[in-house]
Amino acid sequence: MLLNHMVEFQTPHLDAVFHALSDPTRRAILYRLTEGERTVSELATPFNMSLAGASKHIKVLEGAGLVRRHVQGRTHYCQLEAARLAEAQEWLRTYERFWTTRLDNLEEILREEDRASARSSQQSPSSTAKSDKTSRSTK
Amino acid sequence: MLLNHMVEFQTPHLDAVFHALSDPTRRAILYRLTEGERTVSELATPFNMSLAGASKHIKVLEGAGLVRRHVQGRTHYCQLEAARLAEAQEWLRTYERFWTTRLDNLEEILREEDRASARSSQQSPSSTAKSDKTSRSTK
DNA sequence: TCGATGGTCAACCATTTGGTTTAATATATT
DNA sequence: AATATATTAAACCAAATGGTTGACCATCGA
């Protein structure tokens, strides 16, 4: 507990946000909302569950601050609210160096090897990186 | 659109990862592991809970692929395994354009177009979730 | 005003979660 | 061999989760 870094303290929402994201239905709902505002029943339709069930999922997302709703007549319009997602990403950034720096280091190493040994392929036998096969995505 | 369907439905890890991250104890354990390898009891001590309780948390992290352990004698050493965190961040990146500035937004859009053209695999847009849009409830 | 539509609420149910305590297992240490 | 240490396993518990159904409320359209 003493170890709890700022990141932990500054983000009291993380429990709710990560919990909300841990359900595939809710993630699908969020994705749906990237296309624009949707009503509760519009959000519910693709899923093979009752409207009440979907409504509960939406409420979880709302409770986590990931969805905002505005009621208009009997219709509830839902909107993506991304700020908390940004917080989640910010939390993850703390760990970025554990997958980026290793790749960057690998890049560096390869570049150096390329320069130093003009083509004597050396496989380090006791390499610390157990597997640097992590596929780098686009970019 | 299709790409995000892939993101949604091709990554069953996300359920486990986000669930694992939804607990503050587990997040603290992960943070602790950024400082290096730690044994189970080392990880457990800061928390006001039984060793067995902490052990269970570690197993959840392990099950989500966020922690690797190697046993040496009676001691279990735990190590951060960040790849799945990278996957989570990758998922979040889909939503980045909803919180970044307009300029970044433009950048993101261009990058997305880049990606989309990179894998010019198009497909019927009706490939939805695990469940067909079987209409609900005639009741 | 009446009926259909959009949604929530409440009660219920099975399963999971987060925690406990008390063994049990495996390895060190003396 | 005996004992201490590191950790898991098993049984248990209360609370939360994900889902259902049925009743209810509000509102839109005729």
Side-chain angles (χ1 to χ4, degrees):
Chain A
M1 47 209 282
L2 51 144
L3 309 133
N4 268 338
H5 188 254
M6 298 191 333
V7 171
E8 287 297 332
F9 288 135
Q10 280 181 340
T11 55
H13 309 312
L14 282 179
D15 289 24
V17 168
F18 281 133
H19 168 68
L21 296 183
S22 73
D23 184 281
T25 299
R26 289 193 288 262
R27 289 199 304 276
I29 289 174
L30 282 187
Y31 177 67
R32 228 27 220 309
L33 288 176
T34 64
E35 298 161 357
E37 215 173 51
R38 291 286 182 274
T39 73
V40 168
S41 28
E42 278 171 353
L43 289 174
T45 324
F47 304 105
N48 197 17
M49 73 172 59
S50 68
L51 178 63
S55 174
K56 276 168 109 177
H57 279 300
I58 293 170
K59 246 185 302 187
V60 170
L61 290 167
E62 214 183 350
L66 298 175
V67 159
R68 213 180 333 145
R69 107 168 53 192
H70 71 274
V71 182
Q72 199 171 330
R74 61 186 168 180
T75 310
H76 295 217
Y77 292 93
C78 298
Q79 228 179 315
L80 183 62
E81 172 68 63
R84 297 281 165 82
L85 289 179
E87 286 182 20
Q89 209 198 31
E90 195 55 36
W91 183 87
L92 281 170
R93 281 168 65 79
T94 304
Y95 299 85
E96 238 173 13
R97 58 194 166 111
F98 288 93
W99 70 80
T100 58
T101 64
R102 213 171 60 176
L103 288 172
D104 291 348
N105 283 344
L106 179 63
E107 249 174 42
E108 185 98 2
I109 286 166
L110 291 177
R111 198 169 294 124
E112 268 179 34
E113 281 182 2
D114 206 30
R115 264 188 292 134
S117 66
R119 196 43 59 172
S120 47
S121 63
Q122 2 180 344
Q123 284 279 46
S124 61
S126 62
S127 66
T128 47
K130 54 140 201 176
S131 66
D132 281 319
K133 42 59 177 154
T134 316
S135 64
R136 189 197 310 270
S137 50
T138 64
K139 169 65 193 249
Chain B
M1 178 194 271
L2 170 66
L3 291 182
N4 280 282
H5 276 305
M6 292 175 52
V7 168
E8 278 303 324
F9 306 115
Q10 191 188 327
T11 55
H13 303 319
L14 284 179
D15 288 26
V17 168
F18 281 133
H19 168 68
L21 296 183
S22 73
D23 186 279
T25 299
R26 289 194 287 264
R27 288 198 305 275
I29 289 175
L30 281 188
Y31 179 69
R32 197 82 187 295
L33 287 176
T34 64
E35 297 161 0
E37 214 172 52
R38 291 287 183 274
T39 74
V40 168
S41 27
E42 279 171 352
L43 289 174
T45 26
F47 304 105
N48 197 18
M49 74 171 61
S50 68
L51 179 62
S55 173
K56 277 168 106 177
H57 278 300
I58 293 170
K59 243 185 306 185
V60 170
L61 289 167
E62 213 183 351
L66 298 175
V67 159
R68 213 179 336 144
R69 107 169 52 193
H70 70 274
V71 182
Q72 198 170 330
R74 60 185 168 180
T75 308
H76 295 216
Y77 292 93
C78 298
Q79 229 180 311
L80 183 61
E81 173 67 62
R84 297 281 164 82
L85 289 179
E87 285 182 22
Q89 208 198 33
E90 196 55 35
W91 183 87
L92 281 169
R93 284 174 62 77
T94 304
Y95 299 85
E96 239 173 13
R97 57 193 167 108
F98 288 93
W99 70 76
T100 48
T101 67
R102 261 187 191 284
L103 280 178
D104 291 346
N105 191 354
L106 177 61
E107 207 175 277
E108 178 63 27
I109 285 168
L110 293 177
R111 190 180 306 132
E112 243 168 53
E113 284 176 3
D114 208 29
R115 271 187 227 146
S117 60
R119 43 197 108 161
S120 47
S121 61
Q122 306 297 355
Q123 193 179 316
S124 71
S126 61
S127 62
T128 34
K130 45 207 166 184
S131 65
D132 291 352
K133 346 186 121 184
T134 41
S135 65
R136 160 205 24 272
S137 79
T138 18
K139 282 196 173 163

